[in-house]
Amino acid sequence: MEQIKINLNNFEKKEKDNNFDVIIIGGGPAGLTAAIYTCRAGFKTAILEKMALGGQIFLSSEVENFPGQIKISGPDLIAIFEKQAKNFGAEFIFDEVIKIESQNIVKLIHTASGNIYSAKVIIIATGAKYKNLNIKGEEKFKGKGISNCATCDGAFYKNMDVAVIGGGDTAVEEAIFLTRFANKVYLIHRRDKLRATKIIQERAFKNEKIEFIWNFIPEEISGDKYVESIKVKNVKTGESKIIPVKGVFVYIGLIPNTEFLKGFLDMDENGYIIADKNMNTSKEGIFACGDCTQKKLRQVVTACGDGAIAAFSAQNYIENLK
Ligand code: NAP
């Protein structure tokens, strides 16, 4: 009898522990901001995060356009967000969400470890991940010379030659960062014009360690155990050449982390969630914010703005339930 009572208590405790007013899926800038706001509004809030807090900005070497911080690394910025959310009482659960069910007021979240969490409101803030090149050698050399994180891996390439693929803000910023360590950084871009913001472009053009390889796309990454070279092809002439490099940093854009929501929420053709200006999605009581949504500007500051709006809408939604 005693045994049954203890088990029942555990069950009830678990049920209680798994019930929240607000569950935020994703612990990047959008999700952490939403948590700061919902916790301050007095709602029991959990952040469900698959791996580590921070999202893509955690991989950024330097952030200099987040107001209030002259210059800060991605990991340092996220550490502040995390501390702030914790101070207001946010709970952190590290587990992967595989399915959401919406049963009127109650929303159920199923995770990879078999847990089920319930909430009155769900805020999706799952962000986006870096796209792959999908070329020969990419799978083989992931973590053995191919990286998406100059902050994490740049120091391994002291006095070596490396390649950066892409012409956007991330590629150009990280190429500049890599010149701190590398002997030479080849910036390989498929056009002859960068997409990156002007100020970042100008810095890159002035940097003598960066050599621009215009109008080339990567074809194959080769080596023995580790990367030794990249084969690139000129998109205009068809000419191929091999560039000896020890590292390849790939920054060719993003894919939203929304696969588990396909068919459940309305999305555009690229998988970005369609949310209105109040961050409402196509399902009542489910809001979305940050880089996983369809939008024009993907920055930490816009993710934070979205997160605050989603939290405010969540607050209104819960108050209207009463
Ligand atoms: P992005 O802006 O989408 O740029 C991707 C780059 O990769 C483009 O130059 C594109 O070429 C190239 N590319 C795409 N597919 C390719 C392929 N298959 N092979 C070769 N090249 C390919 O991505 P991002 O730089 O990661 O930036 C993502 C978002 O975050 C953007 O909105 C960006 O502004 C923002 N961001 C902001 C900051 C900042 O403000 N400090 C820093 C980082 C990122 P094309 O130009 O020819 O299309």
Side-chain angles (χ1 to χ4, degrees), residues 56-57 60 62-65 130-133 165-174 188-191 193-197 200 216-218 251-254 291 296-300:
Q56 290 161 75
I57 201 64
S60 265
E62 271 174 11
V63 181
E64 58 175 21
N65 56 359
Y130 288 117
K131 265 192 212 162
N132 287 332
L133 288 165
I165 320 296
D169 282 327
T170 313
V172 182
E173 278 188 349
E174 298 309 300
I188 300 165
H189 183 36
R190 64 182 178 183
R191 292 188 291 140
K193 221 170 172 197
L194 297 172
R195 181 182 289 278
T197 314
I200 301 169
F216 275 88
I217 50 162
Y251 299 113
I252 59 164
L254 306 169
D291 281 6
K296 286 230 167 96
L297 188 61
R298 294 194 167 82
Q299 306 270 293
V300 180

Side-chain angles (χ1 to χ4, degrees), residues 137 143 145 202:
E202 281 164 4

Side-chain angles (χ1 to χ4, degrees), residues 72-84:
I72 188 165
S73 74
D76 285 350
L77 183 60
I78 282 303
I80 301 170
F81 278 49
E82 180 186 355
K83 194 169 173 208
Q84 216 170 346

Side-chain angles (χ1 to χ4, degrees), residues 259-316:
E259 295 86 356
F260 70 105
L261 296 166
K262 284 216 166 102
F264 180 70
L265 293 181
D266 286 356
M267 296 177 193
D268 69 11
E269 67 282 6
N270 297 315
Y272 289 103
I273 298 168
I274 297 170
D276 69 12
K277 66 180 188 335
N278 293 319
M279 307 299 144
N280 290 294
T281 67
S282 51
K283 286 260 177 353
E284 230 180 75
I286 300 186
F287 303 89
C289 54
D291 281 6
C292 64
T293 62
Q294 186 189 54
K295 61 197 288 195
K296 286 230 167 96
L297 188 61
R298 294 194 167 82
Q299 306 270 293
V300 180
V301 73
T302 56
C304 294
D306 287 357
I309 296 168
F312 184 68
S313 297
Q315 182 182 337
N316 284 343

